Amino acid sequence: MEFLNETIRFNFDASLQDLLQSFKKKITYWRSNSYISEIDHDMSYFNNKLWIQNTAISLLSMTLQYGFRCFYDQILFLRFLNEIDISQYFLTDFPDIRTFLKIAEYIYEKRYEITFDLSVISNKTKYFNTINSYINDLSKRELYEEALDLAQIANVPGDFIIFKQLESQFENTQSRSEGFWKKWNQIFEKHNIAPDTIVEIYLKFIQRIKDKNEIFTILKLAFNWTNKYKLEDNYDVEKELWLSYFQLDDNSGKLDQLISNDVFTSFPEYSKELEIIPECYNVLNEMEMENFEKAIEYTLNNGDIITALRLERIFGCTSTDLNILKLCLNLVEGAVLPYQLTARQRLLLNRRNNVKGSANIRRKNYITPNRISSCASVASMTSSTLQLCLNDNVVTPSHDTLELLEMLGDNLKSGNSLASKIFKTYRISVNLQTKYKTILECKQPIDMLRKALEDNCRNKLEVVGDFIDIFRLRKEEIVDLLYTEIATAIAQYSVSKMNICFLWDLNLDLDFNLILQLLPDNCSLLGFKLYYGCNNEFTTGNMITVTEMLIRCHDCFTADCNMEGISMVLKKCKSFASMLEGMQDYNLMVRLLTGIARYTEMTYIFHTLKQQEQFELLLRKGSRKDGGLKIALLEYLRKYCPDDVELYKIVALHFFLFSEIAELWEEEALKYTRRIIALAKLEMQNYRLNPDTEPYVLLVNTEDNKKVLRKVLVSLFFQLFEFENVKFILFLDYG
């Protein structure tokens, strides 16, 4: 009582807690709680814990209601009780002062004309009845937001408030758009309305609506709830949703809202799940059946086989394309073996002639036709040499399965992307010698791919391409993977004695373009990464690695026609070539020149090799096949070394340029011929003969003339020829 008397005088000092602590200490020593009759003649209840505490709580509630002159003073008292946490001084259930304070503050802040009886704090039943009466009063005044706020503060269910508000807006809104129902759906979610209650509300409103588009919108929202929480009426709502879609006069754009993003990891297991959906037969009219077929085609083309399978089960209708895809899934999972096809399944293979515009599911071929690669396609392997264990009991020939998948894919009108994904996923499982399901369940594809490459899996280029297509790897991930693989291959090549750098069994000089096909229109990203990696390699002093990385990054920029990148590489090559010249590493200079193959821009390397008498390095084994080098050498010699006939001959002979050699010999023979004729005419004048009137040119049998004529004969392969219509006869005495 002393505590209450002090608070009535607005003494809200923390020192009052000493009184409460003394109260708690006293009741601790009183007798245990027991039942107390309404009439106790012995007055024994004065020492009973339960009665004392309940009486104290009642006195507190009466003080709160009648001990203060205004509502604000009552709130101050509640704040003090909350601050000192008065419940800690009682050993029995104590009213929730904090919640009661929030309610009082909310009512005071909103200035509601409500007489709030604070004495109900000591009685739970009266408390909830009072709160509900306030909420009902606010609802009648159409203050729904305020009623909801009060219900939320008091931890009272607010479902009926929301329903009243929805009912009111529904009646007062003549044209309800999709946004109207979406807004209410968000309100339901915000206030944690039970999903089954929400669905029940939606279905009741549908019975009062005639607009087909509005019905579709409501059913779509209802299905989202039933599907998310797997409610009992999920299949019925789903069926009604699709029927409403089929009945729409204009359903354009609606089907995208029904596409499912769900996936399954085992088709046989998912088929068993579908069996619990009740089937309905002959429920679709002609227009609805036409829309059903379009929906199946659309979902398959969008890669959503789950929705197509559910439609097939719900309405008891199917399509040939869906049956083909189901057979593909059964084949790759081993549920059906290639030699166990039923007659109906074999008919799916004979559909080819009736398909218009069918798309082949094979991935683009990375193997050039003129190259024999050590990485042969899995489809070319014999079934006796390659088998895949799909589960614990079944072993299937992968070659036969791949062939069937290709044939089935060719027969599809829709769902080609799905068939391609199935085919490539299965092909990965064959190349990695693992289960199809393992690939399908993969959550970290880039890690699995790196591990497969480290383990030297089959057909690496094919595997990488399939991983990129199936898992939609980001270009940054692809660039990082390719950079790591290329850098590793070059590092291994730099310390080996091999003349060719290999990556994934591919010759990088010949087949690097196949690797760049993995990055269409994004090769420059790899080029820049290689370029900056090349800069880092300068610090290690590994000139072979630097050379190869410069060549490869140039290939990347060339593939994208990135002139800025090409210019950057050429500038780096010039400074690098100067460094190689200082190190007298002319072999790497030649490798840099022929690898970049920008001969016009890199003429300085020709100059260096010529000056250092290392020009013959350009004519090493294998360079004969380089047509660009051949043309560049001939142009260089003609432009910068026109008098070096011997070097020109060496180059021409190396590249089997017989016509160019013949021209040189003919030019040389003509030069000697002109020289000897000029000398002969001078000799004829000494003998008083007019060389212009004589039909022949007479040569004096001298040693000088013999030497010149021998050179002419050697050059012309000892053949007689006519020069400027002047014939001459040779009288040579070789004795």
Side-chain angles (χ1 to χ4, degrees):
M1 292 296 295
E2 184 179 354
F3 172 81
L4 294 177
N5 288 330
E6 290 296 328
T7 54
I8 290 174
R9 299 187 186 97
F10 297 98
N11 180 11
F12 298 141
D13 192 85
S15 60
L16 293 178
Q17 295 182 73
D18 296 337
L19 298 174
L20 295 173
Q21 189 65 39
S22 176
F23 169 77
K24 181 179 180 181
K25 187 176 181 180
K26 288 180 180 180
I27 63 175
T28 304
Y29 297 106
W30 290 333
R31 69 187 176 96
S32 302
N33 300 335
S34 62
Y35 175 76
I36 300 175
S37 65
E38 294 182 0
I39 301 174
D40 192 343
H41 300 285
D42 297 332
M43 298 292 181
S44 60
Y45 51 84
F46 282 115
N47 294 322
N48 188 284
K49 290 181 182 180
L50 180 62
W51 184 86
I52 293 294
Q53 291 180 91
N54 288 339
T55 302
I57 293 173
S58 297
L59 289 172
L60 181 66
S61 63
M62 298 302 293
T63 303
L64 179 62
Q65 175 65 24
Y66 301 108
F68 298 94
R69 288 176 295 181
C70 66
F71 192 32
Y72 181 73
D73 292 342
Q74 293 171 326
I75 292 175
L76 291 177
F77 182 45
L78 283 172
R79 286 176 181 172
F80 175 67
L81 296 178
N82 181 62
E83 288 173 1
I84 65 175
D85 188 13
I86 192 171
S87 62
Q88 66 178 313
Y89 302 106
F90 287 80
L91 303 179
T92 186
D93 292 337
F94 195 85
D96 188 355
I97 294 294
R98 179 173 299 178
T99 300
F100 212 71
L101 172 62
K102 289 181 179 179
I103 295 172
E105 288 178 336
Y106 184 79
I107 293 175
Y108 181 80
E109 180 184 352
K110 296 296 183 180
R111 302 292 181 183
Y112 293 141
E113 296 178 0
I114 294 177
T115 302
F116 194 15
D117 184 5
L118 299 178
S119 64
V120 299
I121 189 174
S122 61
N123 189 308
K124 288 186 178 181
T125 303
K126 291 182 178 180
Y127 165 74
F128 283 111
N129 289 338
T130 302
I131 294 299
N132 285 328
S133 67
Y134 295 156
I135 292 173
N136 287 327
D137 182 62
L138 291 172
S139 299
K140 289 178 182 179
R141 288 190 264 171
E142 296 188 355
L143 299 174
Y144 299 110
E145 293 295 333
E146 291 78 0
L148 279 172
D149 291 340
L150 185 58
Q152 189 173 6
I153 293 172
N155 295 320
V156 175
D159 301 16
F160 71 96
I161 307 170
I162 296 175
F163 304 151
K164 284 184 178 180
Q165 186 179 6
L166 173 57
E167 180 74 26
S168 174
Q169 290 194 13
F170 180 84
E171 295 293 341
N172 297 327
T173 307
Q174 295 181 353
S175 178
R176 293 171 295 274
S177 64
E178 183 177 358
F180 174 87
W181 293 105
K182 285 185 175 180
K183 182 192 76 173
W184 275 104
N185 198 66
Q186 293 172 354
I187 292 174
F188 294 152
E189 187 173 4
K190 174 184 176 182
H191 293 281
N192 298 317
I193 308 299
D196 53 346
T197 305
I198 297 173
V199 174
E200 183 181 354
I201 294 171
Y202 281 145
L203 295 180
K204 286 182 179 179
F205 275 106
I206 286 176
Q207 298 174 2
R208 302 163 58 182
I209 298 173
K210 295 182 179 179
D211 184 86
K212 294 179 180 179
N213 286 292
E214 189 172 2
I215 292 174
F216 172 79
T217 298
I218 298 174
L219 284 170
K220 181 186 64 178
L221 295 172
F223 176 66
N224 289 340
W225 288 101
T226 61
N227 188 50
K228 181 178 180 180
Y229 294 96
K230 306 301 177 186
L231 302 181
E232 291 183 1
D233 51 355
N234 182 45
Y235 305 120
D236 294 332
V237 174
E238 184 177 11
K239 172 190 166 186
E240 293 300 323
L241 173 61
W242 281 108
L243 282 173
S244 70
Y245 169 77
F246 297 149
Q247 294 167 3
L248 291 175
D249 298 326
D250 181 14
N251 55 22
S252 58
K254 302 288 186 183
L255 194 53
D256 289 329
Q257 305 172 24
L258 303 177
I259 295 295
S260 173
N261 295 321
D262 297 336
V263 294
F264 55 77
T265 56
S266 173
F267 175 66
E269 293 176 6
Y270 187 73
S271 298
K272 293 179 181 178
E273 294 180 16
L274 290 174
E275 292 177 0
I276 65 177
I277 300 178
E279 289 184 294
C280 300
Y281 295 97
N282 302 321
V283 297
L284 301 178
N285 58 34
E286 184 177 350
M287 183 192 77
E288 292 170 346
M289 190 64 194
E290 182 180 350
N291 286 331
F292 170 85
E293 293 173 352
K294 290 180 180 179
I296 290 286
E297 180 181 355
Y298 187 85
T299 54
L300 292 181
N301 284 332
N302 281 270
D304 181 15
I305 192 172
I306 286 184
T307 299
L309 290 170
R310 296 181 71 87
L311 281 172
E312 177 191 42
R313 178 68 184 180
I314 292 172
F315 296 103
C317 305
T318 188
S319 73
T320 305
D321 287 336
L322 185 56
N323 287 331
I324 289 176
L325 290 170
K326 290 195 298 185
L327 178 55
C328 289
L329 290 169
N330 282 319
L331 283 169
V332 298
E333 296 199 43
V336 175
L337 297 180
Y339 49 81
Q340 292 179 335
L341 300 184
T342 64
R344 180 173 295 180
Q345 289 171 336
R346 286 196 294 271
L347 285 175
L348 298 175
L349 297 170
N350 299 327
R351 189 188 175 209
R352 185 187 302 268
N353 295 333
N354 299 323
V355 178
K356 295 181 180 179
S358 63
N360 195 307
I361 66 172
R362 297 180 185 87
R363 183 174 54 81
K364 59 187 178 183
N365 185 17
Y366 288 106
I367 309 302
T368 54
N370 60 347
R371 184 177 68 87
I372 301 176
S373 174
S374 60
C375 131
S377 174
V378 172
S380 67
M381 299 181 183
T382 61
S383 58
S384 61
T385 58
L386 179 60
Q387 293 183 331
L388 176 67
C389 181
L390 292 170
N391 52 49
D392 295 337
N393 302 314
V394 180
V395 176
T396 178
S398 59
H399 169 68
D400 296 339
T401 302
L402 284 167
E403 284 191 344
L404 284 179
L405 291 175
E406 290 178 357
M407 294 172 65
L408 291 169
D410 287 342
N411 290 343
L412 282 172
K413 290 182 180 178
S414 55
N416 298 106
S417 61
L418 278 169
S420 177
K421 183 176 181 179
I422 294 169
F423 176 81
K424 293 174 183 178
T425 304
Y426 179 71
R427 186 162 60 182
I428 289 176
S429 70
V430 173
N431 281 321
L432 270 59
Q433 295 181 308
T434 187
K435 295 180 182 179
Y436 175 87
K437 188 176 180 180
T438 302
I439 306 300
L440 212 58
E441 293 176 339
C442 177
K443 301 299 182 183
Q444 300 293 334
I446 196 69
D447 294 337
M448 176 181 280
L449 178 55
R450 290 183 186 276
K451 182 66 167 57
L453 294 174
E454 289 175 5
D455 294 341
N456 197 28
C457 66
R458 296 187 183 98
N459 308 322
K460 299 179 183 64
L461 179 64
E462 191 171 67
V463 168
V464 174
D466 286 343
F467 261 93
I468 291 172
D469 292 341
I470 292 172
F471 295 103
R472 299 286 188 264
L473 297 182
R474 295 180 293 107
K475 58 186 178 182
E476 293 81 9
E477 292 178 317
I478 303 171
V479 168
D480 290 341
L481 173 70
L482 294 181
Y483 173 77
T484 302
E485 292 293 311
I486 293 170
T488 302
I490 291 175
Q492 292 174 351
Y493 164 75
S494 66
V495 297
S496 70
K497 296 182 179 180
M498 299 177 62
N499 295 324
I500 300 174
C501 183
F502 285 100
L503 173 62
W504 305 337
D505 301 323
L506 301 174
N507 183 338
L508 288 185
D509 285 336
L510 299 177
D511 305 318
F512 192 62
N513 63 305
L514 302 180
I515 297 174
L516 293 182
Q517 289 179 21
L518 301 171
L519 272 172
D521 302 324
N522 289 301
C523 299
S524 292
L525 295 177
L526 178 59
F528 283 113
K529 197 168 184 67
L530 286 168
Y531 181 82
Y532 295 124
C534 170
N535 289 337
N536 295 333
E537 289 295 331
F538 269 108
T539 60
T540 65
N542 192 333
M543 297 297 104
I544 297 177
T545 301
V546 174
T547 302
E548 295 300 322
M549 293 186 78
L550 281 173
I551 293 171
R552 297 286 79 88
C553 67
H554 173 264
D555 291 342
C556 294
F557 292 133
T558 302
D560 273 358
C561 298
N562 188 333
M563 301 310 298
E564 180 183 356
I566 294 172
S567 176
M568 189 168 60
V569 172
L570 291 176
K571 184 177 180 181
K572 176 68 70 175
C573 286
K574 189 167 186 178
S575 61
F576 183 53
S578 299
M579 186 183 302
L580 293 176
E581 182 181 1
M583 299 169 61
Q584 296 185 352
D585 196 339
Y586 303 111
N587 285 312
L588 274 185
M589 289 184 69
V590 172
R591 171 61 184 153
L592 182 66
L593 174 66
T594 56
I596 299 294
R598 295 269 176 180
Y599 300 110
T600 303
E601 294 87 344
M602 301 177 72
T603 307
Y604 54 86
I605 292 183
F606 288 129
H607 292 322
T608 301
L609 295 175
K610 184 73 168 56
Q611 293 169 1
Q612 301 299 328
E613 298 182 354
Q614 300 292 330
F615 208 78
E616 289 77 7
L617 291 176
L618 293 169
L619 309 178
R620 61 187 177 181
K621 184 179 179 181
S623 63
R624 186 175 289 121
K625 299 178 182 178
D626 191 341
L629 177 61
K630 173 184 69 176
I631 296 172
L633 282 172
L634 292 176
E635 290 296 329
Y636 175 79
L637 292 175
R638 287 172 181 168
K639 184 175 181 180
Y640 296 101
C641 309
D643 298 329
D644 198 339
V645 177
E646 292 301 323
L647 183 57
Y648 191 92
K649 287 181 180 180
I650 293 173
V651 172
L653 284 171
H654 176 78
F655 290 106
F656 300 131
L657 304 177
F658 299 118
S659 61
E660 284 79 359
I661 297 172
E663 289 178 3
L664 285 175
W665 285 339
E666 182 179 2
E667 185 177 343
E668 187 175 7
L670 290 174
K671 181 179 68 173
Y672 288 126
T673 303
R674 292 189 186 96
R675 178 181 172 186
I676 197 171
I677 289 175
L679 292 174
K681 287 182 177 181
L682 290 175
E683 291 293 338
M684 289 176 67
Q685 291 177 1
N686 292 335
Y687 289 101
R688 298 181 180 180
L689 295 175
N690 187 358
D692 296 329
T693 59
E694 295 294 333
Y696 302 102
V697 175
L698 299 179
L699 299 177
V700 179
N701 188 3
T702 63
E703 289 300 323
D704 291 338
N705 288 340
K706 287 179 181 181
K707 290 180 181 179
V708 174
L709 285 174
R710 287 192 187 99
K711 291 180 180 180
V712 173
L713 291 173
V714 170
S715 298
L716 298 178
F717 302 97
F718 301 96
Q719 294 181 5
L720 297 177
F721 67 98
E722 185 175 316
F723 176 73
E724 294 183 359
N725 296 323
V726 179
K727 296 179 181 179
F728 60 89
I729 300 176
L730 307 177
F731 299 98
L732 302 178
D733 183 6
Y734 293 103

